[in-house]
């Protein structure tokens, strides 16, 4: 119920205005976001890589409505990749890209062209691109664009969401050699017709999908903070004899940092998803919806500023 309310608010421009201008908001944003500029992203990446983590950077923003906005997002990624390479931070750092930020909602061809330009820049920088997955209305389009991109850039990664009923079948499609797939639970509000609604069903689906990916020939990226699923991931890595170059764990910046350090200490590849930029509202609201404790953190920041 609370999750639905927060996810509904994440689409409300009135609530966005209220939260974005509140004085306490910056502290909360700072926990989950590296900062607003490219410099902040580079600084945080350097720190994380120094701690033995791999990184995937996300230039915040989604649902652009004009070609100019979409092109600006593309240009920011191209610049970021050039700077990451110059700083010697690739290949430890790659980028995560939302196609809706590249124009997918109004022109799929434009989104494809922009994504391709980012893949070219990533290749020149010696690293990879992963296409984030957004709500279910975009899944087919995103997987189509992925498949086209992979013709010239086979390392381009996909994200599959365990809460969608279709995902087991998508995992089978994408478990082949060379295929990089991030498996997450899914962060959007989806109808029962397409998505499991209970946490238990989503977790069970996650394990089925994890089994398909870990027993396949691709490169699974297990994106979760869930202790039980991480234990199952570690178990399957042993079972399928997958070392740190054959799969990885992924978590969000600011979430369970001690667990991220533990996995690095155990010798796993652990990648932190690092968002940066001004357009943090939708991202922050999805994080709040995921976990009541994050909401309490928001509340404490509010009280401490009174
Ligand atoms: C690297 C990465 C990339 C992602 N990319 C996408 C994407 O492209 N598309 C998409 O829809 N979603 C994406 N997500 C979000 C994802 O779908 C989930 O919404 C999010 O990860 C929460 O699910 P969870 O697996 O962590 O489990 P949850 O069900 O949220 O949490 C399970 C358990 O994990 C532990 N836990 C969770 N959060 C915390 C915390 N803050 N502190 C301490 N313990 C905690 C608790 O024990 C909790 O009970 C991504 C997530 C990650 C990590």
């Amino acid at each position: 119920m609370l999750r639905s309310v927060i996810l509904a608010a994440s689409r409300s421009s009135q609530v966005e205005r209220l939260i974005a201008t509140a004085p306490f908001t910056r502290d909360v944003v700072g926990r989950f976001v590296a900062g607003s500029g490219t410099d902040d992203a580079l600084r945080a990446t350097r720190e994380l890589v120094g701690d033995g983590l791999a990184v995937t950077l996300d230039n915040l923003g989604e649902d652009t409505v004009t070609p100019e906005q979409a092109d600006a997002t593309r240009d920011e990624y191209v610049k970021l990749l050039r700077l990451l390479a110059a700083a010697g931070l690739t290949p430890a750092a790659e980028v995560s890209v939302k196609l809706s930020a590249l124009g997918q909602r109004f022109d799929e061809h434009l989104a494809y062209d922009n994504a391709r330009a980012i893949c070219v820049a990533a290749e020149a920088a010696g690293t990879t691109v992963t296409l984030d997955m957004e709500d279910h209305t975009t899944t087919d389009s995103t997987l189509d664009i992925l498949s086209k991109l992979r013709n010239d850039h086979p390392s381009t990664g996909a994200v599959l969401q365990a809460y969608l009923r279709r995902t087991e079948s998508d995992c089978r499609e994408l478990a082949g050699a060379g295929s990089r797939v991030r498996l997450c639970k899914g962060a959007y509000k989806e109808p029962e017709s397409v998505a499991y609604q209970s946490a238990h069903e989503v977790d069970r689906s996650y394990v089925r999908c994890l089994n398909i990916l870990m027993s396949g020939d691709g490169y699974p990226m297990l994106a979760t903070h869930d202790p039980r699923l991480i234990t199952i991931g570690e178990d399957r890595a042993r079972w399928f004899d997958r070392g740190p170059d054959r799969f990885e764990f992924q978590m969000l910046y600011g979430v369970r940092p001690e667990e991220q350090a533990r996995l690095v200490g155990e010798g796993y590849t652990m990648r932190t998803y690092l968002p940066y930029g001004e357009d943090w509202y939708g991202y922050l609201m999805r994080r709040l919806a995921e976990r009541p404790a994050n909401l309490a953190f928001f509340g404490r920041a509010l009280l401490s500023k009174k």
Side-chain angles (χ1 to χ4, degrees):
M1 169 67 179
L2 187 57
R3 178 170 182 270
S4 302
V5 171
I6 298 171
L7 287 176
S10 76
R11 299 270 181 202
S12 158
S13 50
Q14 273 169 321
V15 181
E16 177 173 355
R17 264 197 305 281
L18 201 69
I19 291 185
T21 53
F24 54 86
T25 295
R26 283 280 146 196
D27 291 350
V28 184
V29 175
R31 175 178 159 186
F32 297 107
V33 174
S36 54
T38 324
D39 288 354
D40 299 312
L42 288 166
R43 178 192 37 74
T45 304
R46 206 172 283 116
E47 279 170 23
L48 293 166
V49 171
D51 289 342
L53 292 146
V55 177
T56 185
L57 286 117
D58 165 38
N59 176 224
L60 288 165
E62 47 204 91
D63 294 340
T64 54
V65 291
T66 67
E68 290 73 24
Q69 289 172 335
D71 292 353
T73 303
R74 175 203 61 204
D75 293 346
E76 171 60 26
Y77 272 106
V78 170
K79 178 176 99 178
L80 173 69
L81 284 158
R82 194 169 28 78
L83 293 172
L84 286 170
L89 292 168
T90 53
E94 64 136 37
V95 294
S96 284
V97 172
K98 282 188 174 48
L99 288 176
S100 81
L102 299 178
Q104 185 184 32
R105 299 262 180 214
F106 60 90
D107 184 346
E108 282 186 21
H109 295 291
L110 177 70
Y112 167 69
D113 285 343
N114 283 333
R116 198 179 45 178
I118 296 171
C119 289
V120 168
E123 212 156 271
T127 192
T128 48
V129 176
T130 299
L131 299 184
D132 281 351
M133 192 59 86
E134 301 177 68
D135 73 63
H136 81 279
T137 61
T138 65
T139 310
D140 280 327
S141 155
T142 300
L143 293 179
D144 282 352
I145 291 176
L146 172 85
S147 142
K148 281 200 263 167
L149 289 170
R150 289 193 63 201
N151 288 331
D152 289 330
H153 306 283
S155 64
T156 309
V159 177
L160 295 176
Q161 298 152 317
Y163 64 13
L164 292 186
R165 297 177 192 277
R166 61 178 283 168
T167 292
E168 247 182 282
S169 147
D170 289 332
C171 283
R172 278 193 199 91
E173 290 285 318
L174 289 175
S179 175
R180 295 169 61 249
V181 178
R182 174 192 302 158
L183 179 64
C184 64
K185 290 190 184 179
Y188 297 81
K189 177 160 172 46
E190 300 288 16
E192 197 182 350
S193 53
V194 298
Y196 301 113
Q197 303 293 306
S198 79
H200 183 59
E201 281 178 306
V202 175
D203 290 356
R204 282 166 58 98
S205 168
Y206 194 103
V207 175
R208 289 195 299 273
C209 293
L210 180 154
N211 285 336
I212 294 168
L213 296 175
M214 292 293 272
S215 62
D217 295 319
Y219 183 83
M221 304 184 276
L222 305 180
T224 182
H225 313 101
D226 193 323
R228 286 177 312 158
L229 296 178
I230 292 168
T231 303
I232 293 171
E234 291 181 275
D235 176 71
R236 299 306 188 269
R238 279 189 295 273
W239 183 260
F240 293 109
D241 198 21
R242 282 185 178 266
D245 55 338
R246 294 191 54 226
F247 90 106
E248 66 188 46
F249 288 108
Q250 296 191 343
M251 292 189 209
L252 303 177
Y253 181 69
V255 179
R256 302 200 70 200
E258 301 84 10
E259 177 65 359
Q260 299 192 26
R262 181 190 75 80
L263 289 165
V264 171
E266 296 282 330
Y268 293 109
T269 301
M270 169 65 231
R271 191 178 300 276
T272 303
Y273 184 101
L274 180 66
Y276 75 97
E278 288 288 352
D279 201 355
W280 44 260
Y281 179 71
Y283 180 84
L284 180 72
M285 294 303 270
R286 285 195 293 278
R287 301 296 77 83
L288 295 181
E290 267 153 25
R291 190 167 156 82
N294 288 344
L295 206 57
F297 180 75
F298 204 69
R300 276 199 303 278
L302 172 62
L303 290 174
S304 68
K305 295 287 166 179
K306 272 190 168 172

